[in-house]
Amino acid sequence: MSPLDVIETGQSGRRGGSSPGLLYSGSDWNFDTLRNSYDAIERIAIDELELDVYANRIEVITSEQMLDVYTSHGMPLIYKHWSFGKRFVGHENAYKRGLMGLAYEVVINSDPCISYLMEENSATMQALVIAHAAFGHNHFFKNNRLFREWTEPSGILDYLEFARGYIARCEERHGVRAVERILDAAHALQNQGVHRHSGARPMDLKGEQQRDRERREHEDRVFNDLWRTVPGSKAEKGLDNAAERRRRLGLPEENLLYFIEKNGQRLAPWEREIIRIVRLIAQYFYPQPQAKMMNEGCATWVHYRIMSRLHEQGRIDDAAFMETIHSTTNVISQPGFDTGGGPNFNPYALGYAMMTDIARTCEAPTEEDRAWFPDIAGNGDALGTLKHAWAEYRDESFIQQFMSPAVMRQFKLFRLHDDAEKPYLLVDAIHNPQGYRDIRRSVAQSYDPGNFYLDIEVVDVDLSGDRCLKLQHLTSPGHLLDEKDARATLRQLADLWGYEVKLLEIDRQTQTVLATHLASPARTGP
Amino acid sequence: MDIIDRRPNPHGKNLENRQRVLIRARDAVQRAARDAVASGKLREVGKGGAISIPSDALHEPSLHRVFSSGARSIVLSGNKVFSPGDRLQRPPGGAGRGGGGPGEGGEEGGGEDSFRFVLSRDEFLDVFFDDLELPDLVKRQIATTDTTSITRSGLSNDGSPSQLDLGRTMRHSMARRIGLRRPKTERVLELEALISELEEREPLEPSDLDALAELKLELQVSLRRMNRVPWIDPVDLRYRRFTTTPTPSTRAVMFCLMDVSGSMTERMKDLAKQFFLLLHVFLERRYKRVDLVFIRHAEVAEEVDEDTFFHDPRTGGTIVSSALVEMLRVQKARHPADTWNIYVAQASDGDNSNVDTPRSCVLLREQILPLVQYYAYIEIVGSGAVIRGETDLWRGYKAVAETNDRLTMRQVSEKRDIFPVFRDLFARRPETA
């Protein structure tokens, strides 16, 4: 035995008398264990799975800090607002009463990619979380088309810092109430504060922040209320022409916050800036719900694959691997329709099932798979196929493309036809050859952003007339806005706009008006 | 890859957001806090605890669709028995929620009807006693000097070494050294070097000898001056000075008088107890220093400790004046009127022996009321002593109250009356009489 061997066995003996290859034994971890686990995982992720990731940053936090991160949409820092306090208390209550376990991890789509690890996690959980978040999610963020097109991970942390500072300064100068009023209204409208159809429009948050600050400072400096009193020229007759007027304002406009920010008559420069901040953050989160199922599926598949490899390599012991299987199983269980939880799928369950199913189709296809997926069945390249899917699809198109009969059988899917006229619900498709395509189409539809985002636009406003802001919501009978909430939200919108707001709900097919909502601003003075 | 330990980072990032929630839901929180008291859980509540705020007080509206009519398809998992064409009973509660906003709906989870908020004791009491105060406290506010605080108060020439202000000491030392022209150490070294250089030179010119003598003289003077003028002299020393400043605090004493005679049923005692508990919590909260004196009486009165006052069973006949006499005794012995604000709260069912009521009224009018800031009388309704809606004692006190507004009287018949009455008695008044 060489002296070197003695030292090595001595070291591993210190960690609990296990064999030299083990990364750790038992459930305790320390920073050495974390680093060693990370290195071993990175070797598998980069060398074997060839994942393409942003640089990683691992941060260890307490459960209370985890609650904080939860509260701010998983962001490490966010401006102050009462709604975050409310969310915090809600999570805290649920957590304390044992209704909710804390996530083992939170990962942020930023460059470097930050993964939060809770200190309470066992050594195995830390390894699992590193594999899941720092490699699975990280790879997805960096490669998926939606995230590439809609987010700018290198700028987000700086931008949030800027936003927080800016809003804090506004609170100092204008009072908490005044800022809260704008934030409340902007939050109510943040789902209508996103550009959706204008194609790829990468954000440049850093430049944004700089440019905006300069622009607002300039406006603040040169603002002079007297300009309001200067009589306008009379040559604005063209504006009476409705079509010309709408063209000038860029109507119709689906992004209500954007429209208000640009055209709001009664907003002070700092108010516009706050609306802009809420809008840009909403835009940043826009891709997340559209690829949640795939994202979780990808991360779960990756962590399970990596942990299995660690076990095969003898880097973790049987107990640790059992723990991995146990937690993975917990995460990917899909409760049946009759055990509560509503009609939603567990994104981890469906995502993981589809990922493993794709891998199986590539490696060991059945006749059915060959018929359904001639392109990929038996191509022997599970990893390549998955990576292609992760990069190019979002949930809706991914399901439409890849959901196989095997998965539908596994989940025992069935479709209900819910006709409000009838006293019963009709089962109109189940997991059999006649039903597969119907079910798949319906599942895909439920993930279609076109279905869960509302089609609301600003259609007209007469700036030289009554300045009433006219909106329309294209929908179908029986799918109208929740009236109480709509009224409250429109009141917020009217408050920002400064004048009346009118929302018509219009039948997409027949163009008949289904409902009308009117709201006036609460404050009257400028 | 970096691993960063964020655990030592500041915690409680959400404290301020939490406080903003409280401000926003102030009315609802207040109502909830009072409900918590009405349900008789004062002791627990006073220690802080969970209160529920109706969720609409903190509702965040958004535009979202609801499914009300028409048709839709839902895919569910976990089919065990259904075949195509099966018809299912519509589950109670209608069609359920429609396709709401993305990601928002499921996030909050259950418990949407009300929102549970765990308040710390301070938060709770702040909310609970928001606009109450002891009447007239200002009028006879007495500053006593029983607490002191230590504050910085400039510098001094002596003190303990640990309080030495090095910066200022060195500044003084330098000024003195410059003023007294203490030669610099560099200059002395330079002179020594020059001298030794000259001494080593062979042969020495006469001019060199002169220069040498001159240099030696200068060195001598310099060394002498260095010894005379020290680097640091005791006059340079400056110490930070601290003085203790007396802080005035307001002192008040609250006498709690309770009738524990046989006519007081357990339920009535409960009501009285609750009133005093409320008072107790309130006083602890509002004032820096409040003494509490508990006096219970039946035929005879005695001063007892808090625990006995609230929990010891004791019955007997009733002589109200005995309690008043006892109160005066304690007051004279321990709480002289010129240094204490005196308050009295009395709870009784109004049942008193006929001869004693006039005696009590006289005591009250002539001896007690001139001493006290405020005298609150709580009569617990429901005893047999009521004649034409008023008890003997009530009638007697009422006559006193008409001429003296330091005496306030209220009737309580049920638990839920306690808070409104309490509020009524202690609400902040625009102008104090």
Side-chain angles (χ1 to χ4, degrees):
Chain A
M1 189 186 269
S2 73
L4 196 69
D5 286 334
V6 176
I7 292 166
E8 279 196 341
T9 27
Q11 270 181 344
S12 61
R14 192 161 49 87
R15 294 207 188 109
S18 43
S19 66
L22 281 185
L23 294 167
Y24 56 86
S25 74
S27 60
D28 291 342
W29 59 269
N30 57 34
F31 285 91
D32 285 339
T33 340
L34 281 191
R35 186 163 288 277
N36 292 340
S37 303
Y38 181 89
D39 291 342
I41 289 165
E42 185 179 38
R43 231 163 292 141
I44 298 170
I46 305 297
D47 300 346
E48 293 184 24
L49 300 180
E50 291 170 351
L51 297 182
D52 169 26
V53 293
Y54 295 122
N56 270 309
R57 199 158 99 200
I58 310 274
E59 305 198 353
V60 180
I61 60 177
T62 63
S63 54
E64 189 204 339
Q65 287 168 323
M66 185 59 100
L67 277 171
D68 277 338
V69 174
Y70 253 54
T71 304
S72 46
H73 307 291
M75 281 300 168
L77 42 103
I78 195 105
Y79 49 85
K80 295 200 184 310
H81 187 250
W82 65 271
S83 65
F84 302 126
K86 171 187 158 184
R87 212 157 293 146
F88 180 82
V89 173
H91 287 314
E92 194 187 27
N93 285 344
Y95 179 53
K96 281 196 178 145
R97 282 184 293 166
L99 294 182
M100 174 186 101
L102 280 180
Y104 302 113
E105 101 335 296
V106 163
V107 55
I108 291 162
N109 172 23
S110 61
D111 181 12
C113 177
I114 301 177
S115 309
Y116 290 113
L117 268 54
M118 254 203 326
E119 66 172 349
E120 283 90 342
N121 291 350
S122 67
T124 304
M125 285 311 296
Q126 303 294 30
L128 189 151
V129 165
I130 292 171
H132 182 93
F135 290 97
H137 283 307
N138 190 345
H139 173 86
F140 196 85
F141 287 141
K142 189 169 177 190
N143 291 279
N144 182 265
R145 179 182 285 275
L146 274 175
F147 286 94
R148 281 210 315 269
E149 280 177 5
W150 291 98
T151 65
E152 202 228 337
S154 62
I156 184 68
L157 295 180
D158 287 342
Y159 187 73
L160 288 172
E161 181 78 57
F162 153 76
R164 186 170 65 168
Y166 188 89
I167 288 178
R169 281 196 299 282
C170 286
E171 284 177 346
E172 270 167 34
R173 283 178 65 178
H174 309 286
V176 173
R177 298 268 342 159
V179 173
E180 197 170 75
R181 194 181 66 87
I182 302 292
L183 278 177
D184 283 353
H187 281 184
L189 293 162
Q190 64 187 344
N191 287 330
Q192 277 70 45
V194 177
H195 290 294
R196 297 194 182 98
H197 306 298
S198 42
R201 198 193 266 219
M203 285 201 279
D204 173 16
L205 289 174
K206 241 179 229 148
E208 177 70 38
Q209 173 188 337
Q210 185 59 30
R211 227 181 12 253
D212 255 59
R213 201 177 329 192
E214 282 163 11
R215 188 168 60 228
R216 299 300 173 214
E217 274 168 10
H218 176 75
E219 279 175 12
D220 270 351
R221 260 198 312 276
V222 303
F223 176 74
N224 187 340
D225 203 36
L226 279 179
W227 284 109
R228 208 170 35 81
T229 63
V230 175
S233 65
K234 303 229 162 156
E236 301 213 347
K237 284 238 162 96
L239 275 185
D240 289 316
N241 178 330
E244 167 66 10
R245 184 172 75 207
R246 283 203 292 271
R247 193 192 62 75
R248 281 202 180 191
L249 287 169
L251 296 177
E253 171 61 64
E254 55 162 354
N255 190 333
L256 304 191
L257 285 181
Y258 178 78
F259 182 83
I260 295 285
E261 178 199 324
K262 296 298 172 204
N263 300 299
Q265 303 280 302
R266 293 192 153 183
L267 293 172
W270 64 270
E271 293 177 316
R272 283 181 217 281
E273 179 69 39
I274 289 180
I275 294 174
R276 188 180 185 81
I277 285 171
V278 173
R279 180 169 74 78
L280 288 179
I281 293 176
Q283 186 79 58
Y284 183 80
F285 284 108
Y286 171 63
Q288 307 248 10
Q290 295 182 54
K292 183 167 174 60
M293 188 270 285
M294 286 187 73
N295 198 351
E296 296 301 356
C298 163
T300 309
W301 189 85
V302 165
H303 91 232
Y304 192 70
R305 177 75 183 262
I306 290 177
M307 295 305 281
S308 306
R309 285 291 296 144
L310 284 178
H311 186 233
E312 282 165 28
Q313 292 172 348
R315 306 302 307 272
I316 57 174
D317 57 21
D318 290 350
F321 192 56
M322 285 301 287
E323 192 185 342
T324 306
I325 294 172
H326 179 76
S327 348
T328 310
T329 318
N330 276 346
V331 166
I332 62 167
S333 70
Q334 169 69 47
F337 74 98
D338 46 359
T339 45
N344 297 322
F345 287 100
N346 173 357
Y348 293 85
L350 189 57
Y352 179 72
M354 286 188 65
M355 299 308 162
T356 40
D357 186 63
I358 290 171
R360 185 192 54 76
T361 307
C362 294
E363 307 289 354
T366 60
E367 275 315 302
E368 183 185 51
D369 295 325
R370 287 189 198 281
W372 277 68
F373 305 106
D375 297 348
I376 61 167
N379 68 0
D381 180 16
L383 197 58
T385 311
L386 281 175
K387 282 205 309 216
H388 170 75
W390 295 339
E392 298 300 329
Y393 291 84
R394 59 178 182 179
D395 287 351
E396 179 228 357
S397 53
F398 178 69
I399 287 169
Q400 191 61 38
Q401 187 68 28
F402 291 108
M403 184 177 258
S404 72
V407 169
M408 288 184 250
R409 281 194 299 271
Q410 184 193 334
F411 279 80
K412 297 190 167 60
L413 297 185
F414 66 109
R415 190 171 74 171
L416 283 179
H417 184 72
D418 177 6
D419 186 341
E421 303 282 294
K422 307 240 169 67
Y424 52 82
L425 302 167
L426 179 72
V427 178
D428 73 346
I430 64 163
H431 49 92
N432 63 10
Q434 293 80 47
Y436 290 141
R437 287 182 197 278
D438 284 343
I439 286 179
R440 183 164 78 174
R441 196 174 330 111
S442 288
V443 176
Q445 264 168 19
S446 70
Y447 283 94
D448 183 355
N451 279 339
F452 55 70
Y453 290 120
L454 306 172
D455 189 358
I456 294 180
E457 290 176 335
V458 182
V459 287
D460 197 10
V461 55
D462 184 359
L463 286 181
S464 53
D466 61 0
R467 296 179 176 176
C468 172
L469 190 65
K470 296 187 182 71
L471 311 175
Q472 72 173 21
H473 172 214
L474 287 184
T475 182
S476 53
H479 293 83
L480 298 182
L481 293 177
D482 178 85
E483 191 167 340
K484 206 169 139 232
D485 259 26
R487 214 179 310 130
T489 314
L490 288 179
R491 216 175 297 131
Q492 304 268 32
L493 177 63
D495 208 21
L496 290 183
W497 177 240
Y499 305 94
E500 224 171 40
V501 172
K502 189 177 187 179
L503 170 66
L504 298 183
E505 299 200 62
I506 292 173
D507 189 334
R508 199 186 296 273
Q509 255 90 47
T510 63
Q511 300 296 314
T512 51
V513 175
L514 301 170
T516 306
H517 309 273
L518 254 180
S520 315
R523 62 162 186 177
T524 42
Chain B
M1 191 268 313
D2 301 318
I3 298 181
I4 301 172
D5 188 0
R6 289 273 182 224
R7 288 172 296 175
N9 274 23
H11 285 227
K13 264 197 214 168
N14 261 297
L15 204 66
E16 196 177 329
N17 288 333
R18 222 181 104 97
Q19 279 162 351
R20 289 184 184 189
V21 176
L22 278 184
I23 292 168
R24 192 173 182 90
R26 185 142 208 120
D27 292 344
V29 174
Q30 253 169 5
R31 232 172 299 128
R34 274 150 206 177
D35 285 350
V37 173
S39 63
K41 282 183 254 159
L42 183 81
R43 285 215 149 200
E44 299 92 83
V45 167
K47 291 186 177 85
I51 55 163
S52 298
I53 304 168
S55 62
D56 56 350
L58 295 171
H59 182 59
E60 293 169 90
S62 67
L63 295 174
H64 59 95
R65 264 192 308 250
V66 285
F67 173 76
S68 57
S69 63
R72 59 174 175 174
S73 289
I74 315 160
V75 176
L76 298 169
S77 67
N79 179 16
K80 293 176 201 89
V81 293
F82 304 135
S83 310
D86 281 358
R87 293 173 174 193
L88 308 184
Q89 193 72 35
R90 199 179 281 282
R97 33 188 223 138
E104 289 292 318
E107 216 175 79
E108 302 283 335
E112 275 285 80
D113 293 325
S114 64
F115 189 76
R116 275 166 61 87
F117 209 102
V118 180
L119 295 180
S120 72
R121 181 186 163 85
D122 278 359
E123 278 174 335
F124 182 88
L125 295 175
D126 255 350
V127 169
F128 189 67
F129 294 120
D130 188 28
D131 49 359
L132 301 180
E133 67 173 18
L134 279 181
D136 280 7
L137 191 71
V138 221
K139 210 159 99 188
R140 263 202 244 167
Q141 206 164 50
I142 291 155
T144 59
T145 54
D146 55 353
T147 51
T148 53
S149 65
I150 291 173
T151 44
R152 288 280 301 262
S153 54
L155 299 158
S156 80
N157 284 339
D158 54 12
S160 72
S162 64
Q163 297 304 333
L164 184 68
D165 188 330
L166 207 59
R168 281 173 202 274
T169 303
M170 292 317 288
R171 212 182 304 158
H172 280 279
S173 133
M174 188 191 285
R176 184 181 47 78
R177 275 181 276 128
I178 293 170
L180 295 177
R181 275 177 286 154
R182 186 184 201 261
K184 291 198 166 109
T185 322
E186 294 91 312
R187 177 62 189 158
V188 174
L189 292 174
E190 193 188 326
L191 285 171
E192 279 169 353
L194 284 172
I195 290 167
S196 61
E197 190 195 333
L198 280 175
E199 277 172 349
E200 271 163 38
R201 197 180 293 174
E202 305 251 344
L204 276 170
E205 305 281 339
S207 63
D208 286 341
L209 277 172
D210 285 349
L212 190 62
E214 214 172 293
L215 284 170
K216 280 192 168 161
L217 183 68
E218 194 186 339
L219 179 65
Q220 205 182 351
V221 171
S222 293
L223 285 175
R224 203 169 56 223
R225 184 158 267 166
M226 264 182 111
N227 284 336
R228 288 264 171 79
V229 185
W231 179 259
I232 289 184
D233 191 88
V235 300
D236 301 330
L237 297 177
R238 290 296 180 275
Y239 296 90
R240 288 184 287 266
R241 203 160 70 111
F242 294 89
T243 47
T244 50
T245 318
T247 342
S249 67
T250 48
R251 284 206 296 190
V253 57
M254 187 96 204
F255 289 93
C256 303
L257 313 182
M258 182 161 69
D259 181 354
V260 292
S261 64
S263 58
M264 288 281 281
T265 61
E266 264 320 297
R267 189 189 64 83
M268 293 160 85
K269 279 185 200 164
D270 259 6
L271 288 176
K273 278 173 198 173
Q274 215 187 353
F275 180 79
F276 288 120
L277 271 172
L278 202 53
L279 200 56
H280 187 176
V281 179
F282 172 59
L283 292 171
E284 266 190 340
R285 178 69 194 159
R286 268 298 152 185
Y287 298 104
K288 203 172 270 171
R289 196 156 152 221
V290 182
D291 274 12
L292 283 162
V293 177
F294 297 98
I295 295 171
R296 61 172 185 179
H297 74 91
E299 284 142 350
V300 286
E302 57 178 335
E303 188 190 349
V304 292
D305 63 18
E306 183 187 346
D307 204 49
T308 320
F309 186 75
F310 287 126
H311 302 294
D312 188 37
R314 161 65 72 99
T315 55
T318 319
I319 295 173
V320 171
S321 62
S322 67
L324 303 183
V325 171
E326 174 73 4
M327 180 240 137
L328 280 170
R329 186 190 67 77
V330 175
Q331 180 266 321
K332 288 207 171 79
R334 300 207 301 264
H335 304 286
D338 55 341
T339 50
W340 288 85
N341 295 288
I342 300 167
Y343 297 86
V344 186
Q346 183 186 4
S348 166
D349 62 351
D351 188 14
N352 196 13
S353 66
N354 287 344
V355 287
D356 187 59
T357 303
R359 213 169 93 84
S360 302
C361 290
V362 170
L363 265 175
L364 197 61
R365 193 191 324 248
E366 288 174 5
Q367 294 197 40
I368 297 177
L369 288 181
L371 288 174
V372 303
Q373 311 291 84
Y374 198 61
Y375 192 112
Y377 173 65
I378 300 299
E379 187 162 294
I380 295 148
V381 187
S383 108
V386 181
I387 306 159
R388 290 192 301 275
E390 282 176 349
T391 63
D392 202 25
L393 192 64
W394 179 272
R395 258 200 304 279
Y397 273 27
K398 203 163 91 178
V400 181
E402 270 160 15
T403 57
N404 194 325
D405 50 22
R406 286 187 188 162
L407 172 64
T408 315
M409 320 161 50
R410 291 288 183 280
Q411 281 182 321
V412 174
S413 60
E414 277 180 69
K415 231 173 196 173
R416 61 185 156 82
D417 291 346
I418 295 277
F419 191 76
V421 165
F422 185 81
R423 211 178 148 63
D424 201 18
L425 287 176
F426 291 101
R428 193 168 290 161
R429 281 138 215 240
E431 80 278 13
T432 24

